[in-house]
Amino acid sequence: MKIDLHSHTHYSDGHLSPKELVDRAHNMQVDVLAITDHDTIDGIQTAIDYQSQQKRAMQILSGVEISTSWHNFDIHILGLNVDHTNAQFLARLEQQSQERDRRAQQMSDKLAKVGIANVFEDAKELAGVGQITRAHFARVLVQRQVVRDFDSVFKKYLGKGKKAHVKPKWISIEQAITWIHDAGGKAVLAHPGHYDMTTKWLKRLVAEFADSGGDGMEVIHSHLTPVRKKLLADIAAEHDLQASSGSDFHYPNRWTELGKNLTLPEQLVPIWQDWNLVSQ
Ligand code: AMP
Ligand code: MN
Ligand code: MN
Ligand code: MN
């Protein structure tokens, strides 16, 4: 079974529409796909409706990737199997969306001060129906040839402590877990191996996440060495967290693919163990 519980559409910083993403997942022989856009569930219904017309065996799960602030770090919490029609949840996510716009405007003001004008307008246009993210800013700056590649934008302008960085006011980890639980979903700590922190801080993060009622942790995600994988599996086991895995697919490229290399370590309990997955 290929289960991929982390992916993006153009409702946030993914490049594909929900339909294109679903088609690609099907082509990659994915059995279960969770769509987890940044702070929005707007793409879910289209994906579910589209997939239900296709008469093919692949299950779409509703999900979201909520941005939180924790000790000056941006920590991402996945909400899996949430009720994407829950009005309270939608209203809550709208607060995050407004914070995205506020931060984007301020980043644009900072860029204007160093001679790079009107980035907000271009980034907003690029984002279209979706949430505006730093990834859109990065694409605009690469297109304008201000920097040579995507990562350099973060290193020079948008990363923590850089020229156009704006400290975001995301909700707390606890709040995100509450929102997800209130919407009937499971809360999963996203890509713990990606945060730029020491192992000591990582352990503290996972301990606090678990104490706050978090359900699971992504123990398999991109760019993990075998040593790091083992570390994540051990930390998850220590805190009785269930295990999740996802590609964090944003667009077709050399490094990430839907449903690829996502097998969980055997000793861990999968996050989907009590879900009625159709193909199980
Ligand atoms: P935001 O949620 O608006 O802060 O945007 C962050 C998004 O930018 C992440 O979800 C990534 O998809 C993307 N991103 C790509 N490269 C980087 C990087 N070097 N640092 C931070 N974010 C990155
Ligand atoms: Mn992203
Ligand atoms: Mn993330
Ligand atoms: Mn993601």
Side-chain angles (χ1 to χ4, degrees):
M1 274 258 285
K2 273 193 183 182
I3 300 178
D4 190 336
L5 299 182
H6 190 159
S7 68
H8 295 271
T9 75
H10 68 195
Y11 280 92
S12 65
D13 57 354
H15 296 201
L16 305 185
S17 69
K19 290 178 187 178
E20 288 166 339
L21 183 78
V22 165
D23 280 343
R24 189 176 183 92
H26 172 72
N27 290 339
M28 294 298 154
Q29 282 141 22
V30 170
D31 298 289
V32 181
L33 175 74
I35 298 177
T36 54
D37 275 311
H38 296 287
D39 301 301
T40 184
I41 45 182
D42 287 351
I44 306 289
Q45 194 62 53
T46 313
I48 291 174
D49 290 346
Y50 175 66
Q51 175 58 8
S52 69
Q53 291 156 12
Q54 305 306 309
K55 306 200 174 18
R56 57 193 185 193
M58 180 174 74
Q59 191 173 353
I60 307 293
L61 295 181
S62 59
V64 65
E65 181 171 14
I66 299 183
S67 312
T68 73
S69 297
W70 184 77
H71 296 278
N72 226 8
F73 291 105
D74 287 8
I75 303 298
H76 290 175
I77 310 293
L78 296 170
L80 297 178
N81 231 349
V82 287
D83 172 8
H84 64 284
T85 64
N86 181 311
Q88 182 191 41
F89 193 41
L90 283 162
R92 284 170 160 176
L93 291 174
E94 181 55 31
Q95 296 171 31
Q96 294 272 99
S97 179
Q98 284 173 13
E99 170 58 9
R100 285 196 165 276
D101 281 340
R102 180 202 72 84
R103 183 189 58 153
Q105 192 65 67
Q106 274 197 17
M107 287 193 297
S108 190
D109 292 347
K110 285 195 169 184
L111 287 167
K113 285 198 179 121
V114 293
I116 311 164
N118 302 323
V119 181
F120 180 83
E121 288 73 10
D122 288 6
K124 196 76 186 165
E125 195 182 330
L126 196 58
V129 293
Q131 299 296 307
I132 192 161
T133 73
R134 283 186 295 168
H136 296 100
F137 272 65
R139 283 165 69 187
V140 170
L141 295 195
V142 172
Q143 266 173 20
R144 289 197 198 174
Q145 298 185 322
V146 173
V147 284
R148 70 168 192 268
D149 60 35
F150 198 83
D151 268 356
S152 309
V153 185
F154 286 88
K155 286 198 183 108
K156 197 157 178 211
Y157 296 105
L158 304 180
K160 218 163 45 179
K162 307 299 178 192
K163 281 181 198 153
H165 183 259
V166 175
K167 195 176 168 184
K169 294 179 191 147
W170 306 127
I171 56 168
S172 66
I173 290 178
E174 253 182 327
Q175 262 178 305
I177 294 171
T178 302
W179 287 12
I180 291 163
H181 286 170
D182 286 351
K186 285 200 180 187
V188 170
L189 179 64
H191 44 63
H194 276 185
Y195 303 118
D196 188 14
M197 58 176 71
T198 60
T199 302
K200 193 174 156 193
W201 273 88
L202 181 60
K203 286 183 173 171
R204 188 171 159 191
L205 167 65
V206 177
E208 281 193 31
F209 172 77
D211 283 351
S212 306
D215 305 291
M217 181 173 136
E218 254 182 357
V219 295
I220 299 294
H221 60 79
S222 62
H223 310 296
L224 280 178
T225 61
V227 173
R228 206 93 170 120
K229 267 186 202 169
K230 166 107 179 37
L231 175 73
L232 295 187
D234 288 349
I235 301 177
E238 187 189 333
H239 294 283
D240 282 327
L241 289 170
Q242 296 182 335
S244 188
S245 68
S247 63
D248 202 3
F249 180 86
H250 282 75
Y251 56 92
N253 65 70
R254 252 186 294 161
W255 305 279
T256 48
E257 189 47 86
L258 288 161
K260 214 171 128 189
N261 300 331
L262 295 176
T263 312
L264 290 178
E266 266 174 21
Q267 69 274 25
L268 297 176
V269 177
I271 191 87
W272 57 83
Q273 76 154 358
D274 353 301
W275 297 340
N276 279 324
L277 298 185
V278 190
S279 33
Q280 234 173 359

